[in-house]
Amino acid sequence: MYNLEFYLYGIIPMIVGILIMWKSIQISSKRRMILSWFITFIIAISFALAEYMLFLISFTEAWPTYLPHILLALNLIMLGIQLLLINRK
């Protein structure tokens, strides 16, 4: 089976990315603002790139990098900004 590193650096960040994307879409559909949909679009693009890189790193013999984790952290920051926009109005 796979080792602990596979779950910590591969599977758990993939799940966190899916949750961030899901929450962003949920916020945008609830609060129909152009800025919120723009943030969701940016999150979706970086989410797709991060998930693609994590998939390549986890399931092929690709060289590991921290770029997907950085993208997911930036997505989390943008989700926080999106939440602040909702609480502001």
Side-chain angles (χ1 to χ4, degrees), residues 10-22:
I11 299 299
I12 293 175
M14 285 182 188
I15 293 170
V16 168
I18 291 169
L19 292 175
I20 290 171
M21 188 65 214
W22 177 65

Side-chain angles (χ1 to χ4, degrees), residues 19-80:
L19 292 175
I20 290 171
M21 188 65 214
W22 177 65
K23 186 65 178 173
S24 178
I25 291 172
Q26 186 180 24
I27 290 169
S28 292
S29 64
K30 184 189 305 182
R31 181 74 180 180
R32 301 173 186 241
M33 293 173 49
I34 299 289
L35 183 60
S36 182
W37 281 107
F38 182 70
I39 292 172
T40 300
F41 180 72
I42 292 172
I43 289 174
I45 290 173
S46 63
F47 163 76
L49 181 63
E51 293 293 320
Y52 176 70
M53 285 190 285
L54 282 171
F55 179 80
L56 286 179
I57 291 169
S58 298
F59 296 110
T60 63
E61 297 296 324
W63 190 262
T65 179
Y66 290 108
L67 183 61
H69 302 94
I70 294 169
L71 285 174
L72 291 175
L74 291 174
N75 285 347
L76 193 58
I77 291 169
M78 285 189 284
L79 181 67

